[in-house]
Amino acid sequence: MGELLAKYDVPGPRYTSYPTVPYWEKAPSEAEWLAHLEAALASGKEEGRGAAIYLHVPFCRSLCHYCGCNTFITRDRTVSDPYVEAVLAEWKLYRARFGRVPIDGLHVGGGTPTFLTTVQLNELLGGILDSVEVLRTAELSVEVDPRTTSHEQLEAMSALGFRRISLGVQDFDPLVQAAVNRIQSVEEVARVTESARSLGYTSVNYDLIYGLPKQTARAVEDTVRKVKVLRPDRIAFYAYAHVPWMKTFQRKFADAEVPGGTAKRQLYELGRGLLEEGGYQEIGMDHFALPTDGLSNAHRERRLHRNFMGYTERKTIPVFGLGVSSIGDTWDAFAQNEKSLPAWSAKVRSGCLPIAKGHSLNGEDLVLRRHILAIMTDGATDWSADATGFLAGLGPRLAEFERDGLVELQSASLRVTEAGWPFLRNICMAFDARLARRAPERELFSQTV
């Protein structure tokens, strides 16, 4: 395994979209984006499924030095009221076109959504939910910071129908926490976990990170041991992306303090083994769940989906992106909002959708997106019906994976072997036409969500 880890230790996207963000071309205009949404909503209605909303709250009271998200660091809570008003105004622009949209999911991320007060959460989330048709199958989920989340906030969101909660844990080791500027105790995490469960939240997720500055095998082992005692329903075990040329605050770490290569992968293998010993099942890439959790059920029933929020239990299209930097997805197009808070606010105030960048998928993009998604979710795909163009030349790009025992190949299909699961990214890269055709030095890690 060590030789394979070294061999395939190359930068690569997480494939939360295809094409990946660095290869997006011209953004759709407002009219084009609305047309894409309209077609996706009509298709969803025919198939009996609803849309989803991703709502981004960028505010954090302090900067975590591992973070790749779009955040606005402040302790001034007066910024929250204008933001809530602007998000509701942005949603009103969509409502003017589509009316009461049927919603199958609402995910609130950040930043720190619980930077908002209980009153603000009620105003923002209640304002959106009151204006949509919430389907019986809808899943409402929220990301929270254990250091700043109160029982009152959780209670308010529970009353609105939220049943899934995700806590940022990362690592419990004091040296690692000091290095990444996120000091939080096991007791704080336990308090929020227990509070959520007492209020009826049915799925609790913890985010963990491996490869953090000053992180050792002992730190990973101790963190996972404490996590297993708290027994979250699912766990995302992400790789730390060290990109100081993009995130200048990461220059605080010396390269020698950041595990890399084989050492970094060994931290993942250690954590994975400990989680599996605790009864967690590996789902796709970097995700684990108890057999009783919905993500495990979706994996067994082959209905997993993957989007900018990671793995989800089913496909929800379209996704409306609300708030600064949010990304919308209609399957055949992406649109990302302005990343700058003032620029986003100004566009919303002017009555325009705050689209900054995006991409309309061509025919090849749509075919390749489907196959990459199948590999990321099911570990298998069959392109016999699409074996022309770029896919016609797949053989040489996959031959090395077959020789290394990572995939089993037929003439126009593959199945990822057990040994191949750690190399899903690499296998998907063989299907990435845009990556193959453009300069390899292009930055791949600008897509960090």
Side-chain angles (χ1 to χ4, degrees):
M1 174 65 81
E3 291 181 2
L4 290 177
L5 291 173
K7 178 178 181 178
Y8 292 108
D9 181 25
V10 295
R14 298 186 57 81
Y15 289 110
T16 49
S17 75
Y18 183 82
T20 55
V21 174
Y23 298 97
W24 286 3
E25 295 170 343
K26 181 177 178 292
S29 67
E30 180 171 320
E32 290 168 338
W33 177 237
L34 290 171
H36 280 293
L37 286 167
E38 187 167 40
L41 285 168
S43 176
K45 186 176 182 180
E46 291 177 3
E47 297 174 12
R49 56 175 167 79
I53 296 173
Y54 172 71
L55 196 168
H56 190 76
V57 179
F59 308 113
C60 289
R61 67 177 188 177
S62 60
L63 179 65
C64 300
H65 294 160
Y66 56 80
C67 185
C69 300
N70 186 19
T71 58
F72 186 91
I73 308 303
T74 181
R75 290 177 177 267
D76 179 8
R77 287 187 176 271
T78 62
V79 299
S80 301
D81 281 332
Y83 191 76
V84 168
E85 292 171 7
V87 171
L88 292 175
E90 182 185 4
W91 181 235
K92 189 175 181 180
L93 296 175
Y94 285 113
R95 287 169 50 206
R97 174 69 174 263
F98 303 116
R100 291 181 67 85
V101 175
I103 293 296
D104 221 6
L106 168 60
H107 183 81
V108 189
T112 305
T114 48
F115 181 93
L116 304 181
T117 66
T118 303
V119 171
Q120 290 165 340
L121 286 169
N122 270 318
E123 181 182 354
L124 175 59
L125 303 178
I128 290 172
L129 292 170
D130 286 345
S131 67
V132 301
E133 178 191 353
V134 181
L135 301 182
R136 180 184 55 81
T137 52
E139 294 182 350
L140 311 185
S141 57
V142 61
E143 300 170 12
V144 304
D145 183 339
R147 302 169 299 174
T148 61
T149 301
S150 69
H151 183 85
E152 182 185 37
Q153 289 172 314
L154 294 175
E155 187 174 32
M157 290 185 287
S158 175
L160 290 169
F162 281 78
R163 294 294 180 266
R164 296 193 181 277
I165 187 171
S166 181
L167 285 69
V169 173
Q170 324 318 348
D171 192 293
F172 283 126
D173 184 85
L175 287 178
V176 177
Q177 290 190 354
V180 300
N181 195 38
R182 188 182 178 100
I183 309 298
Q184 64 185 22
S185 66
V186 177
E187 290 73 24
E188 287 173 308
V189 173
R191 173 186 60 80
V192 174
T193 301
E194 292 163 5
S195 183
R197 285 174 170 157
S198 73
L199 290 165
Y201 288 81
T202 56
S203 185
V204 176
N205 173 81
Y206 288 179
D207 284 349
L208 306 179
I209 298 180
Y210 67 94
L212 288 168
K214 300 188 178 180
Q215 192 178 52
T216 63
R218 179 176 292 182
V220 170
E221 184 173 1
D222 183 61
T223 294
V224 174
R225 178 178 59 81
K226 291 172 178 173
V227 163
K228 288 195 294 185
V229 171
L230 296 174
R231 205 70 175 164
D233 301 276
R234 58 178 72 167
I235 293 167
F237 193 25
Y238 293 120
Y240 165 66
H242 189 57
V243 286
W245 56 93
M246 289 177 56
K247 303 293 182 180
T248 56
F249 52 81
Q250 292 184 354
R251 292 175 183 160
K252 296 175 181 290
F253 316 135
D255 288 345
E257 295 179 309
V258 181
T262 301
K264 181 178 181 180
R265 185 68 200 188
Q266 286 173 342
L267 294 178
Y268 179 81
E269 296 299 331
L270 171 62
R272 178 175 74 165
L274 292 169
L275 289 171
E276 289 177 342
E277 286 176 12
Y280 290 89
Q281 299 175 343
E282 188 172 23
I283 308 293
M285 185 181 76
D286 301 345
H287 283 61
F288 297 81
L290 293 173
T292 53
D293 188 74
L295 204 62
S296 290
N297 295 332
H299 185 246
R300 286 190 292 269
E301 296 168 8
R302 300 188 67 181
R303 53 182 171 81
L304 270 183
H305 183 58
R306 183 168 173 82
N307 57 26
F308 286 98
M309 282 75 78
Y311 286 99
T312 64
E313 294 181 25
R314 60 189 179 278
K315 184 176 180 179
T316 46
I317 292 290
V319 177
F320 289 84
L322 298 181
V324 62
S325 79
S326 288
I327 298 175
D329 179 3
T330 61
W331 185 257
D332 59 357
F334 301 106
Q336 182 171 23
N337 283 350
E338 293 281 357
K339 290 185 175 182
S340 159
L341 187 56
W344 170 82
S345 299
K347 282 191 176 180
V348 172
R349 285 197 305 270
S350 70
C352 298
L353 293 180
I355 298 169
K357 64 189 296 186
H359 180 78
S360 295
L361 283 71
N362 61 31
E364 181 185 72
D365 291 336
L366 290 167
V367 169
L368 296 180
R369 183 179 190 189
R370 177 163 46 84
H371 290 298
I372 288 172
L373 177 63
I375 295 169
M376 292 297 293
T377 55
D378 296 332
T381 195
D382 183 326
W383 60 96
S384 55
D386 306 310
T388 58
F390 185 76
L391 290 174
L394 268 184
R397 291 192 292 274
L398 295 172
E400 192 78 5
F401 297 120
E402 184 179 37
R403 284 193 291 271
D404 289 333
L406 306 183
V407 299
E408 293 177 353
L409 284 179
Q410 300 297 326
S411 59
S413 67
L414 69 75
R415 185 185 69 83
V416 179
T417 66
E418 184 176 352
W421 279 99
F423 306 100
L424 278 183
R425 286 193 199 192
N426 305 81
I427 296 166
C428 287
M429 287 166 72
F431 287 76
D432 191 335
R434 290 179 178 271
L435 176 65
R437 292 170 182 154
R438 295 174 69 173
E441 67 270 18
R442 280 183 63 97
E443 178 53 59
L444 296 176
F445 283 116
S446 64
Q447 182 179 347
T448 57
V449 294

